[in-house]
Amino acid sequence: MTTTPMLLVIGVVLLLAIGVQIVATRTRIPTISLLLLLGVLLGPAALDVLPVDSETWFEGAAAIALTMIGFLLGGEFDAVAFKRRGRRAVVLSLGLSVGTAILVALTIGLAGFGWTLALLLGGIAPATDPAATVAVLDELGKDDDLATDLRSIVALDDVWGVLIYAIMVAGAELVDTGQLDGGMLLEAGRELGGSLLVGALLGALAAPLTGRLGAGRPTTLEALGLVMVCAGLCEMLGLSTLLASVAMGAALTNLTREHEHPFREVENLEWPFLVVFFVLAGAHMEPRALLGVGGLAVAYVAARAAGRFGGIALGALPLGDRSKRTLLWTPLSLMPQAGVALGLALSAASRFEVEGPTLLTVVVGTTLIFEVLGPPIARFAILRARASD
């Protein structure tokens, strides 16, 4: 791979993003949706002008972008703030994940598509796209209780998602072969525990340095270095960059009083990486894939959307929260689904040769729906929730 096409494509994408932001401002369509559509236009589904090795860049851009997002989300887990609203975030996120998984699995299974495929899709369905949710929140500004809830939920969502996915895959293997393989559960435990451990250690090691650095170039170097090291270690060890970076941010924000400096630097640095990530993500979406699995795709989209409402309602029960903001606007704000779901789908497809192609087609195809329509829906829901407060 030569660097010339890579540099040219990235430069053009960043310049096109300026126009995208102008259009987003005038139309009130979330910038992320327009970036994804730009990626679809540039990708194989339309103009096909990207180099053939762009998938390699996408993996790198995704790792860095998700690490930055996770790091900033981890910063929300300040011990004092989490003590005040932490139980709420844990209960709502758990209800959301469990409710979505169960409803999707039951819907696909009872619709006659096979219980193995139903359990696999149920295990993938809870995954949320934190990058999309955070991008919409950042675009709208204002850190209120709703924003805190949403950031906390998407940060915890993938913790539950890894565990639920492992359980569902184990169930699918039992249905498929009549034998239960505990290897998937052990692998999920390794990924979850290893990711949190690596992230916490990096945050703990960085805390003394952060307290000695002021704002400016040294802090920029520190912030970008932490992100790169975290992403690189996770790629090398086969761990979740998102989970590790959340743990790193949480450790850093609780171990030093000067934690705001690196977080502010990451906020300043993240947008170019996110632009490249979203455009390349759009380029790898396949709208035509939906044509081959029409009925199954419709069932999955409908069941996952319904599961967001049912899951939040399930989580709200022990909290005694019956507010419209929680039961209606919160699930509408959590529809996007992308990178994490695709990663889980690839993992499942490698283990289930029969269901694998169909599974990948459904997840890849419906990602376009959730990613393009999800952010505008989230924007509408957040604005309506704030207007009703």
Side-chain angles (χ1 to χ4, degrees), residues 6 23 43 54 68 73 96 112 147 152 168 203 253 256 267 276 309 312 318-319 352 359 377:
M6 177 181 70
V23 174
S54 62
M68 287 182 165
L73 287 173
L96 178 74
S152 300
M168 289 295 204
T253 199
T256 175
E267 287 176 347
V276 175
F309 290 95
I312 284 291
L319 298 174
F352 294 84
L359 179 74
I377 293 172

Side-chain angles (χ1 to χ4, degrees), residues 31-77:
T31 306
I32 174 182
S33 295
L34 295 177
L35 289 173
L36 288 163
L37 289 174
L38 174 62
V40 174
L41 179 65
L42 296 176
L47 299 178
D48 196 16
V49 295
L50 295 178
V52 293
D53 53 4
S54 62
E55 187 170 343
T56 303
W57 317 343
F58 176 58
E59 293 174 359
I64 296 173
L66 288 175
T67 303
M68 287 182 165
I69 289 292
F71 182 63
L72 294 175
L73 287 173
E76 301 289 327
F77 290 97

Side-chain angles (χ1 to χ4, degrees), residues 150-176:
L150 293 176
R151 291 178 191 274
S152 300
I153 288 170
V154 296
L156 291 167
D157 186 63
D158 285 312
V159 177
W160 307 126
V162 169
L163 295 174
I164 291 172
Y165 170 75
I167 293 169
M168 289 295 204
V169 168
E173 287 182 335
L174 183 61
V175 170
D176 198 40

Side-chain angles (χ1 to χ4, degrees), residues 298-383:
V298 170
Y300 177 72
V301 169
R304 184 176 181 271
R308 310 315 268 172
F309 290 95
I312 284 291
L314 179 66
L317 278 177
L319 298 174
D321 186 351
R322 299 181 180 179
S323 66
K324 190 175 182 180
R325 191 190 77 175
T326 298
L327 299 180
L328 177 60
W329 304 128
T330 297
L332 280 174
S333 303
L334 295 166
M335 292 295 173
Q337 182 178 52
V340 177
L342 291 175
L344 296 178
L346 287 169
S347 174
S350 67
R351 298 174 67 93
F352 294 84
E353 295 181 1
V354 176
E355 293 81 9
T358 302
L359 179 74
L360 276 176
T361 302
V362 171
V363 176
V364 170
T366 57
T367 290
L368 179 64
I369 297 174
F370 286 121
E371 280 295 273
V372 173
L373 298 182
I377 293 172
R379 186 182 191 278
F380 168 79
I382 293 167
L383 290 175

